[in-house]
Amino acid sequence: MTNRIPPRSGAAFEVKAGQTLTVTDPMGGQVSDLVAFWREDIGEWLSNGRTFDYGETIRVAGEGTVLWSNRSRPMLTITRDDVGVHDFLLTPCSREMWPIVYPDEPPHRGCLGNLAEALAPYGVTRDAVPTAFNVFMNVPVRPDGRLSVEPPVSKAGDSLILRAELDLIVGLTACSAGASNGGTFKPIDWRVSD
Amino acid sequence: MTNRIPPRSGAAFEVKAGQTLTVTDPMGGQVSDLVAFWREDIGEWLSNGRTFDYGETIRVAGEGTVLWSNRSRPMLTITRDDVGVHDFLLTPCSREMWPIVYPDEPPHRGCLGNLAEALAPYGVTRDAVPTAFNVFMNVPVRPDGRLSVEPPVSKAGDSLILRAELDLIVGLTACSAGASNGGTFKPIDWRVSD
């Protein structure tokens, strides 16, 4: 069964070890922020720092790539990657971000607010949301370290598939920030499969 | 008063808003992992993702650079930077890291264990330690995203000075991982000034 996250909103759900999570961009050019916590103890969470360290790269993409927890355990492994461009540097957009980054736009609670609401039933607070794995997000980094947020290169129907290595709680969004998705707000589809 | 952190250990202390923290490499070529939490509520912590986002760079260095919290408030501002090379990508080394990264070396509890012990009196748990700001750590990133841990370029007596923008609890280490500091384990000095 495929589920749809409406534009500028989020969802949270369980994925058991061995199951796969498919994240699909149904219209193309959209971003989905992904966070994960161990089902048995939400003190264990998906960590960009550990993933960069053990993978020895900031480009977290491609089949076989492992996403690690703060306790140094594999949480998710990419098993199919139609796009190959994702970001693990930037935090979910938030109400506080708008006046800093988009001062001329009306503020939105953003992916952080959406994740916090969706994850609340699992006991995950807003403060406990770490830097997200931003599926399909296109953040080039120049040789001097400067970064920019560019439109995603994902096309309609492109997917990322990840295998859960632990029983997980996953938070997922259809991103709320204009720059991340080329200026339009679109849905994200997801499916959990055995 | 200057305090010394012995090799492969850590410390935690308070820094009030407006005070400065000086981190000095007394022998040269050493790394110090720095984490910070708001004194009034440790749910607010120093965030690499927010700092990359608002600074629009992964090279967090140089006078005037702001380090941001997960709640999008400035926590620390660099007021003097003798070295200009630091890392905010990688997590503190940990006991679990050794078999993955240094399989031929005896495991050590690492900066994560040292930070957890030092921060425990303030209520900060091991799981709540985020990706650290790794003072003097030299992590070049190649155009394809691949990174490597190289010896620091800091010389004996080089300092980084940061102004606290909030009342903070700071955790600080003399790093325990051989690759981070060119293969030797050395102390780190720190001082809080009004």
Side-chain angles (χ1 to χ4, degrees), chain A residues 181-193:
Chain A
N181 49 39
T184 61
F185 302 115
K186 287 164 285 191
I188 285 289
D189 290 348
W190 63 273
R191 185 174 67 248
V192 174
S193 311

Side-chain angles (χ1 to χ4, degrees), chain B residues 58-136:
Chain B
I58 61 171
R59 292 287 160 222
V60 179
E63 196 178 326
T65 297
V66 175
L67 282 68
W68 294 80
S69 81
N70 62 317
R71 295 183 188 167
S72 295
R73 296 199 296 174
M75 287 194 111
L76 291 157
T77 302
I78 296 175
T79 61
R80 181 176 137 192
D81 187 350
D82 292 342
V83 178
V85 178
H86 315 287
D87 169 72
F88 212 172
L89 295 166
L90 303 183
T91 37
C93 55
S94 66
R95 186 170 297 282
E96 297 81 2
M97 186 207 72
W98 255 263
I100 299 170
V101 177
Y102 303 116
D104 298 330
E105 295 182 16
H108 187 274
R109 69 176 183 173
C111 286
L112 182 57
N114 289 326
L115 287 168
E117 180 177 289
L119 289 163
Y122 297 102
V124 177
T125 66
R126 189 176 191 272
D127 284 334
V129 174
T131 302
F133 181 61
N134 302 303
V135 180
F136 311 133

Side-chain angles (χ1 to χ4, degrees), chain A residues 12-73:
Chain A
F13 46 86
E14 294 184 37
V15 186
K16 292 198 189 309
Q19 289 184 320
T20 59
L21 168 63
T22 301
V23 182
T24 300
D25 183 350
M27 300 172 68
Q30 176 59 313
V31 162
S32 179
D33 288 15
L34 185 157
V35 295
F37 303 83
W38 185 33
R39 183 68 188 90
E40 303 304 311
D41 180 351
I42 58 173
E44 185 164 7
W45 41 271
L46 189 62
S47 166
N48 72 339
R50 294 248 174 264
T51 300
F52 295 153
D53 204 355
Y54 299 151
E56 298 183 305
T57 182
I58 61 170
R59 291 289 160 221
V60 179
E63 196 179 325
T65 297
V66 175
L67 282 69
W68 294 79
S69 81
N70 63 317
R71 295 183 188 167
S72 295
R73 296 199 297 173

Side-chain angles (χ1 to χ4, degrees), chain A:
Chain A
M1 195 190 82
T2 297
N3 307 273
R4 174 154 291 191
I5 303 175
R8 302 186 112 181
S9 66
F13 46 86
E14 294 184 37
V15 186
K16 292 198 189 309
Q19 289 184 320
T20 59
L21 168 63
T22 301
V23 182
T24 300
D25 183 350
M27 300 172 68
Q30 176 59 313
V31 162
S32 179
D33 288 15
L34 185 157
V35 295
F37 303 83
W38 185 33
R39 183 68 188 90
E40 303 304 311
D41 180 351
I42 58 173
E44 185 164 7
W45 41 271
L46 189 62
S47 166
N48 72 339
R50 294 248 174 264
T51 300
F52 295 153
D53 204 355
Y54 299 151
E56 298 183 305
T57 182
I58 61 170
R59 291 289 160 221
V60 179
E63 196 179 325
T65 297
V66 175
L67 282 69
W68 294 79
S69 81
N70 63 317
R71 295 183 188 167
S72 295
R73 296 199 297 173
M75 287 195 112
L76 292 156
T77 303
I78 296 175
T79 61
R80 182 178 135 190
D81 187 350
D82 292 342
V83 178
V85 178
H86 315 288
D87 169 71
F88 212 172
L89 294 166
L90 302 183
T91 37
C93 55
S94 65
R95 186 169 300 282
E96 297 83 2
M97 186 207 73
W98 255 264
I100 299 170
V101 177
Y102 302 118
D104 298 330
E105 294 182 18
H108 186 274
R109 69 176 183 173
C111 286
L112 182 58
N114 289 326
L115 288 168
E117 180 177 286
L119 289 163
Y122 297 102
V124 177
T125 66
R126 190 177 191 272
D127 283 336
V129 174
T131 303
F133 180 61
N134 302 303
V135 179
F136 311 134
M137 191 170 184
N138 182 10
V139 182
V141 177
R142 297 206 300 250
D144 67 355
R146 301 284 299 172
L147 60 82
S148 58
V149 178
E150 304 293 340
V153 298
S154 48
K155 295 181 174 52
D158 279 348
S159 291
L160 179 76
I161 305 183
L162 308 116
R163 183 180 64 237
E165 305 295 354
L166 302 168
D167 289 344
L168 298 177
I169 298 159
V170 171
L172 201 65
T173 71
C175 183
S176 306
S180 303
N181 49 39
T184 61
F185 302 115
K186 287 164 285 191
I188 285 289
D189 290 348
W190 63 273
R191 185 174 67 248
V192 174
S193 311
D194 286 323

